[in-house]
């Protein structure tokens, strides 16, 4: 995606968050940053969307991984599965077919008494230059839906 398109998606997400949470809580739900920003916020993971054969997109995966930030490179939204697994490409080019995606630490905080409280999932998103906006939107939609399903099912179990 080009920088202009990336900004447009960011602005759309920002407007959506402002509408849902109001201007006073916007900064609790939306933060814009460059992937190589040394002051990158604390995130659960970074999602990199783009072709597995793209050297540009592969480099976007290297940057957060060099900093120790969990990151996943997917080529389509369908890589994120309803069974909470993800098919993703690693920095060395290996494609992992099924690995656990959202772990409990991303979804819950646990107090000293073992009581679980739902927490906000913090996701960074970037994509390759030729990745269609729809691919990014679809991937984010799957993450939001999976997060909701996992947190709801755990509440009903517990």
């Amino acid at each position: 995606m080009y920088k202009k398109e990336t900004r447009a998606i960011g602005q759309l997400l920002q407007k959506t968050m402002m509408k849902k949470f109001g201007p006073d809580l916007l900064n609790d739900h939306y933060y814009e940053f460059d992937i190589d920003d040394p002051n990158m916020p604390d995130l659960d993971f970074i999602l990199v969307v783009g072709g597995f054969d793209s050297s540009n997109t592969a480099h976007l995966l290297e940057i957060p991984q060099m900093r120790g930030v969990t990151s996943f490179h997917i080529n389509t939204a369908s890589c994120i599965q309803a069974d909470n697994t993800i098919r993703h490409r690693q920095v060395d080019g290996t494609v992992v077919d099924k690995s656990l995606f959202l772990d409990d630490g991303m979804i819950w905080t646990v107090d000293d008494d073992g009581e679980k409280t739902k927490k906000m999932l913090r996701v960074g998103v970037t994509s390759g230059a030729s990745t269609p906006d729809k691919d990014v939107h679809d991937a984010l939609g799957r993450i939001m839906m999976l997060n909701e399903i996992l947190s709801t099912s755990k509440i009903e179990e517990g």
Side-chain angles (χ1 to χ4, degrees), residues 26-125:
L26 177 64
N27 291 336
D28 293 341
H29 300 277
Y30 176 84
Y31 182 81
E32 191 172 319
F33 63 94
D34 288 327
I35 195 165
D36 59 354
D37 185 344
N39 299 315
M40 186 176 3
D42 185 27
L43 301 169
D44 291 308
F45 64 91
I46 290 183
L47 184 71
V48 179
V49 184
F52 284 161
D53 294 330
S54 165
S55 60
N56 172 49
T57 308
H59 182 63
L60 291 173
L61 179 67
E62 290 173 359
I63 296 168
Q65 291 218 341
M66 286 189 308
R67 294 184 175 182
V69 178
T70 300
S71 42
F72 300 97
H73 174 189
I74 64 170
N75 62 345
T76 65
S78 63
C79 289
I80 300 167
Q81 296 293 304
D83 65 354
N84 193 26
T85 60
I86 186 168
R87 178 178 185 266
H88 63 101
R89 181 186 178 277
Q90 297 178 321
V91 172
D92 67 4
T94 305
V95 176
V96 178
D97 277 324
K98 277 200 176 256
S99 69
L100 179 67
F101 185 37
L102 301 180
D103 65 39
D104 276 357
M106 295 176 186
I107 301 170
W108 305 101
T109 56
V110 182
D111 67 16
D112 294 338
D113 298 325
E115 187 72 28
K116 287 184 175 181
T117 305
K118 172 82 171 91
K119 73 179 218 180
M120 192 176 347
L121 186 64
R122 296 157 305 163
V123 181
V125 182

Side-chain angles (χ1 to χ4, degrees), residues 142-155:
R142 282 186 178 234
I143 291 169
M144 289 187 285
M145 195 165 28
L146 183 58
N147 183 41
E148 185 64 26
I149 289 167
L150 292 172
S151 62
T152 303
S153 67
K154 297 282 182 172
I155 290 170

